[in-house]
Structures are given as structure tokens and as C-alpha cells.
Amino acid sequence: MSDQLNNFSKELQANLHPTSEYHQKLVQKGLLLYRQNHVYKKQYNPPTYISGKVQDVIPVDVTLNMNEPLNSQCSCPQEGICRHQLALFFSAYSENSSVFEWVQEWKSQDQSFDILKTVKRASDLLNEAVPPDLSKGIDAWLHYFQQTFEDANISNEYFLETSVKRNYRRLLDFIPVEREWKPLYRLFAAYEALKWLNGVCVENEFHGLSSLFDFLLQEAEESLNQLSVTSAPFAFDPYIQYLRDDSHFLIESSSYFYSSLFHFYRLLWSRLFRSSSWRHDEWNRWNERLIHDINTKEKIEIPNIMAFIHLSFLEEDDDRALSFLKELMNDDPTLILFMPFWIEELKIQKAFQRQYRYINCALAMLPLFFQDTNSSYERQSFTRLFLQSIGEAALMEKNPYLLEKVYRGLLPYSYYKYDSYLFSQKKFREWVELQHLSAKEIDLIDKEKLTIIAKEAPQMVMPLYHEAIEHLISSRNRSSYKKAVRYLKKLRTVYKKRNRMLDWDRFFNHLVNRTKRLRAFQEECRKGKLIDVE
């Protein structure tokens, strides 16, 4: 199990960023729970799972997936990696390795970048001596942004990523002191950096910088979220006008990172350009483009259609948007990856009836997407993103039937969510069917849930024990026979609670006769006092 745990450790470090304040707090909270001995009932189920309980405000159940760390589960409401998963990991990791060294190694991941930030050329020092005069307006901003990236190292993808992040942070060194201008400046910096980066990637055929595009998108989204909750002063008008006019770049440019550019476009038109007349004009623009391409029989570019769909969404023309989406996704099922954004936007707006339409559209396309996508990681990532976008708690309250439909549609990647849902709703028959469907060994099924169901609806767990017993006996080894006897005892208890001991006797006598040649099994039955010793 130690090899799997080491691999899990590396994957965890790769997905937790030491420069992220959120991830720093996450690790701190996980360490605190572990150091306060709040992890208990830890169980190893090699080679794949480690499970346990973590005492927080309320106790939670945690299962770590050694093969697919990002598919680990916790009964707390937090999506993705949570403090309880980290606490269980630290507890398991500490048995063979140093948790302190793990934390130090994780923190050191960003040291190389920190060192690079302190290394400056003489020309950099001269430039810093005379700060740019950004008070002269948008032209001064753009000139400074373009000038800043001129010295970027584009010799390879690694140096390019380092240069872009260094230069981007240099831009932020001159962020305006006025509070209302800060998010706008930061948005411009991310936008111009992304434009420049896209051009370099196309020119040099760089394909491996998706994480850098994601970084700039995150910076832009945080800025847009701040701008969307305040009224823009009139002084913003030329800056916003520039972004409106220039945003077509995100749709019309060649790119290896089309999804990132399109997402930036969606963010701008959803969060910043909220005037109904602006949106209607933009919708007309793309509509005229599509009509022209159809009439002239020119190739219709997918980015143009996706922009048209987004503006139709903003115009609340869902019939048109969903019609185009269904047609496009039939040809390219991966376009379903764009659906969670719209679904989450409707959740935020509390436009639940519209949201249900988009959810049902996505569910209809899931089989094609899962069939088209060979990567299990991509399916799991989409499942997490989709469940986050729908708002499970609200959907549970307003439309539990649709929530259950979502869980079924996302199987097997929604197993833990669906398992918890069925158990909480006391849908024990469906819960047992889910265990059969997942082909999960009874040893890996939550023992507390089995015990509770055995008390409340004992007839439901009987098939699970019968199946497990048959499987263990067919394994033909002593350890399997011992487990089979243990389950036979549990099964006998269930029969007894249901006052069906005659049925038990018939079943067990038939089993003993059928396995009379399996001497080791017969011996274990005698040791377990299932067979009377003569």
C-alpha cells in the first residue's frame, strides 16, 4: 500500500498550489485535524482504498482512492479535495513517512519561481526606476502591457510559462491605487497577457500551456466578479468599449486553446457587458455572420456558432440555443464540456426552470460523451464540474427526481454521491441494485450502512450476502472460506430476524451438500459452529 500512497501523495502535491491562499488554509486545516487525533476508524482496503472517519463539527466519512486521488470522496458538502481527505491522508502517510517533510516539499514547489522573480536584468532595474504613467488613459495601459512582454523568453514552453507569470506580476506592481480601478486594471492585464500568449503559442506551435491559460482565466474571473457587483464610473467607458470591440478576437483568432478563449468571451459578456442593447447588438452581429455563411455556402466555424449560442442564452432564447447545442454535440460530444457554465449561471440567477432544460439537454448527450472520451480522468473531471454546477442542495429541494436522474446518468463516476443519496432517502432496494451494478465487493461497502439496512430492511441486504458467499467459495482458498463463514453468520442473523429459519436451514443444508468435497470450507464451517461438531 505504501507505493500507492506515495503516488497519491505526488498527485495531491500536484493539485494543491502552495501560492494559493485557499489551498494553504486547506492544508493547515487538514494538518490541525490530523494533529488533534480527529482521524479514527481508519481501514485499508488494498490496493485501491483507504477509508476512515474524521471528527469535525460533525463526524464525516472519508474514502481515499489511491488510483484516482481526485475521485476521493467525503460526506461533507465541499466539492473536490477537502480538509477531511487531507487529514485522513496525513494520518495514513505518517505511519511510514514524515508529514512535516511532505509539507516542506509541497511548499518548496514554488521556490524556483520565487528565485526567478528576484533575478532581474539591468534593463528591468532601469525601467523600474521610472514607473509608467498609467494616468494617461487606455493607450498608456496597452503600451505598457505590450512593452512588458517584449523581453519574455519564448525559447521553449517551460521558459515561456515562467516569463509570462513573472511579467504578469510585474504589471500588477503598478496597479492603480484607487480601489475601483484595481479590478479593471487586473482584468486588462490578464486579457492582454492571454492575447499575447495565444499569438506566441500559434506561431511556435506550443500545445502544452493549458495551465497557464487557466491561470490567466482565473485572474480575469476574479476581477470580473469584483466589477460585476459595483457600478462602473463614467471614466470606465473607453476601457469597456475597447474590451467590447476587441472581444471578437477571442472568437475569431486561431488558437490551440479555443476553449479557454471562448470561456473568456463568455465571462466578459456574462459579467461585464450586461446592457441588454449591447447584448442584442452582439447577437445580431453573430446572427448576420451565420446567415451570410449559410447563404454563401462558406464553412461555418464552430467558435462563431458557440458565440451565437451564448448570446442566445443571454437573450433567454433557450429554444434556439439548445437546438444549436444538440445539433453540434451530435457531431462533437466534447462540446458538452461547455454546458456547466450555463447551468451554473442559471443556478446563480435562480432561474430553475431554465436550468432544468439545460441539465436535461446535457444528460441526453452524456452517453455519447462518455463513449467518445477514452480518458477516465476527463470523465471524472466533468462529473465533478457538472455536479458542482447544478447545485445539488437546491436541486434536492426543488426537483429530487431530476437530481436522481443526474446521478444515474453520471454513473459510475457519481457512485459515491448516488450511494449517499439513495441511503439518505431510504431507497434501500435501489441502493442494493447500485452495489450490484458497481460490482463492488462487500468488503468495500460501508459497513455502517449495511448494518442499518440489515436492521430496517433486512430482506434488501440478503442478495448482497448470498452473492458475496458464492464468490468467496468459488475462490477456493482458506482465507476466502473464512470470510464466507463470517458472511454466512451475518446472513443467518438476517434470516432469523425475518423469522425465516426454515428457509435458512434449506439454503445452508443445500450449500453443505454442494460443497462436501471442499474439506477446507467444511472445516471452517465447523470452526464457526455453523456445522455441529460430531
Side-chain angles (χ1 to χ4, degrees):
M1 198 71 178
S2 60
D3 290 340
Q4 290 90 338
L5 196 58
N6 286 332
N7 291 335
F8 184 95
S9 165
K10 293 176 183 176
E11 185 72 18
L12 202 59
Q13 287 190 341
N15 284 278
L16 293 172
H17 305 294
T19 57
S20 165
E21 184 178 352
Y22 172 75
H23 286 169
Q24 290 172 10
K25 291 180 179 178
L26 203 62
V27 171
Q28 289 170 2
K29 291 176 181 177
L31 282 170
L32 186 62
L33 289 170
Y34 152 65
R35 288 169 176 164
Q36 291 178 339
N37 296 317
H38 285 180
V39 179
Y40 61 103
K41 288 190 177 181
K42 188 167 57 192
Q43 293 183 344
Y44 294 89
N45 299 303
T48 308
Y49 298 99
I50 298 176
S51 59
K53 283 185 168 292
V54 178
Q55 180 62 51
D56 203 345
V57 179
I58 59 172
V60 295
D61 297 309
V62 184
T63 301
L64 302 180
N65 188 324
M66 295 294 102
N67 294 336
E68 298 167 347
L70 295 181
N71 201 30
S72 298
Q73 299 293 327
C74 180
S75 60
C76 77
Q78 182 175 331
E79 297 291 338
I81 301 171
C82 67
R83 61 183 181 274
H84 311 114
Q85 294 176 28
L86 287 170
L88 178 57
F89 163 71
F90 290 138
S91 178
Y93 190 78
S94 66
E95 295 181 4
N96 296 299
S97 304
S98 167
V99 172
F100 174 78
E101 290 180 2
W102 184 95
V103 174
Q104 294 306 309
E105 181 183 351
W106 174 66
K107 288 181 177 179
S108 71
Q109 288 179 0
D110 198 51
Q111 283 182 359
S112 59
F113 176 66
D114 289 339
I115 292 171
L116 284 170
K117 284 198 296 183
T118 64
V119 178
K120 298 181 180 180
R121 304 183 315 175
S123 60
D124 295 335
L125 296 173
L126 289 173
N127 287 337
E128 288 182 1
V130 183
D133 187 0
L134 300 178
S135 64
K136 292 184 178 180
I138 188 170
D139 290 337
W141 284 25
L142 296 176
H143 176 73
Y144 176 54
F145 295 156
Q146 293 160 7
Q147 191 178 44
T148 299
F149 287 103
E150 284 179 357
D151 69 337
N153 188 336
I154 62 173
S155 57
N156 61 50
E157 294 183 30
Y158 171 77
F159 287 123
L160 176 60
E161 180 167 7
T162 302
S163 291
V164 169
K165 284 190 174 181
R166 182 191 66 219
N167 290 353
Y168 174 78
R169 286 187 167 86
R170 191 195 305 169
L171 290 178
L172 298 188
D173 287 341
F174 295 101
I175 197 166
V177 294
E178 297 86 356
R179 185 177 61 181
E180 67 272 16
W181 283 90
K182 288 182 178 181
L184 183 66
Y185 179 89
R186 188 179 174 195
L187 171 63
F188 260 79
Y191 180 73
E192 292 300 319
L194 183 137
K195 283 174 57 181
W196 179 88
L197 175 63
N198 185 69
V200 171
C201 288
V202 171
E203 184 177 351
N204 295 276
E205 299 186 358
F206 290 157
H207 297 260
L209 290 166
S210 58
S211 62
L212 183 53
F213 276 82
D214 289 342
F215 165 76
L216 293 173
L217 269 175
Q218 184 178 356
E219 290 288 298
E221 186 165 7
E222 290 177 5
S223 302
L224 283 164
N225 288 340
Q226 294 177 46
L227 288 168
S228 65
V229 297
T230 58
S231 298
F234 290 121
F236 279 16
D237 288 354
Y239 298 85
I240 293 177
Q241 182 66 47
Y242 168 81
L243 287 173
R244 277 181 57 206
D245 295 340
D246 201 65
S247 65
H248 301 143
F249 160 87
L250 299 167
I251 300 298
E252 297 169 341
S253 296
S254 298
S255 180
Y256 298 126
F257 306 94
Y258 155 68
S259 61
S260 296
L261 269 61
F262 176 61
H263 187 51
F264 207 140
Y265 178 85
R266 286 198 299 186
L267 286 170
L268 286 171
W269 280 94
S270 297
R271 309 283 166 81
L272 188 61
F273 311 141
R274 292 179 290 177
S275 164
S276 57
S277 62
W278 290 354
R279 289 176 174 179
H280 189 67
D281 289 343
E282 185 75 357
W283 182 91
N284 281 330
R285 181 183 186 279
W286 292 115
N287 186 43
E288 290 172 4
R289 172 74 67 85
L290 291 177
I291 292 173
H292 173 269
D293 291 346
I294 292 171
N295 291 338
T296 58
K297 297 184 179 180
E298 294 184 17
K299 179 183 177 182
I300 301 176
E301 300 293 339
I302 296 298
N304 296 351
I305 303 178
M306 293 302 291
F308 174 74
I309 289 172
H310 182 58
L311 268 297
S312 297
F313 167 82
L314 295 176
E315 292 276 277
E316 300 187 15
D317 189 352
D318 296 326
D319 290 336
R320 192 187 305 270
L322 291 172
S323 175
F324 274 89
L325 271 172
K326 289 174 184 176
E327 187 173 345
L328 288 177
M329 287 192 294
N330 278 322
D331 294 329
D332 183 2
T334 61
L335 292 176
I336 198 176
L337 297 171
F338 293 118
M339 290 290 281
F341 176 86
W342 290 310
I343 291 171
E344 186 161 20
E345 286 290 292
L346 294 172
K347 175 188 72 177
I348 295 171
Q349 298 172 20
K350 297 185 178 181
F352 297 116
Q353 294 305 316
R354 292 183 64 201
Q355 186 198 37
Y356 301 158
R357 293 190 64 187
Y358 282 82
I359 291 175
N360 278 309
C361 177
L363 289 177
M365 300 309 301
L366 269 176
L368 275 177
F369 170 66
F370 282 165
Q371 181 180 351
D372 184 75
T373 306
N374 295 324
S375 170
S376 175
Y377 175 78
E378 287 185 12
R379 296 182 190 134
Q380 291 165 1
S381 297
F382 175 77
T383 296
R384 287 192 297 274
L385 183 62
F386 192 77
L387 290 176
Q388 181 180 353
S389 71
I390 64 176
E392 294 169 85
L395 202 57
M396 177 68 186
E397 179 183 348
K398 296 180 178 297
N399 196 338
Y401 171 77
L402 182 56
L403 179 61
E404 185 169 352
K405 187 178 176 181
V406 168
Y407 287 147
R408 287 199 307 269
L410 291 168
L411 285 172
Y413 306 103
S414 60
Y415 166 80
Y416 289 100
K417 292 281 189 177
Y418 194 26
D419 176 279
S420 298
Y421 168 82
L422 292 174
F423 183 79
S424 67
Q425 298 301 301
K426 296 192 174 184
K427 294 188 173 185
F428 297 141
R429 185 182 302 280
E430 291 86 347
W431 185 86
V432 171
E433 289 174 355
L434 177 63
Q435 313 313 312
H436 281 296
L437 180 65
S438 63
K440 200 164 190 179
E441 294 183 12
I442 199 168
D443 277 351
L444 300 179
I445 297 175
D446 190 310
K447 292 179 175 55
E448 290 189 14
K449 290 178 181 176
L450 271 177
T451 302
I452 292 171
I453 296 176
K455 289 180 181 178
E456 297 191 22
Q459 70 279 9
M460 297 301 176
V461 299
M462 292 173 68
L464 290 176
Y465 284 120
H466 276 289
E467 184 176 348
I469 290 164
E470 290 296 331
H471 173 72
L472 289 167
I473 293 174
S474 68
S475 297
R476 303 291 182 94
N477 62 70
R478 179 73 69 167
S479 61
S480 296
Y481 293 154
K482 289 180 179 179
K483 280 187 179 181
V485 168
R486 190 164 74 246
Y487 292 142
L488 280 166
K489 288 182 176 181
K490 292 180 181 290
L491 185 59
R492 182 177 61 183
T493 301
V494 175
Y495 272 100
K496 187 174 182 179
K497 286 181 179 179
R498 298 196 65 211
N499 295 318
R500 290 181 55 187
M501 288 306 292
L502 289 177
D503 291 335
W504 160 259
D505 291 336
R506 280 194 291 270
F507 158 72
F508 186 69
N509 290 334
H510 175 71
L511 178 65
V512 170
N513 290 330
R514 182 163 57 86
T515 58
K516 61 176 61 176
R517 293 187 178 181
L518 303 179
R519 295 180 181 178
F521 174 65
Q522 299 274 329
E523 182 182 337
E524 291 301 326
C525 286
R526 292 190 186 93
K527 288 181 180 178
K529 298 182 180 180
L530 289 171
I531 298 177
D532 295 332
V533 180
E534 296 180 357

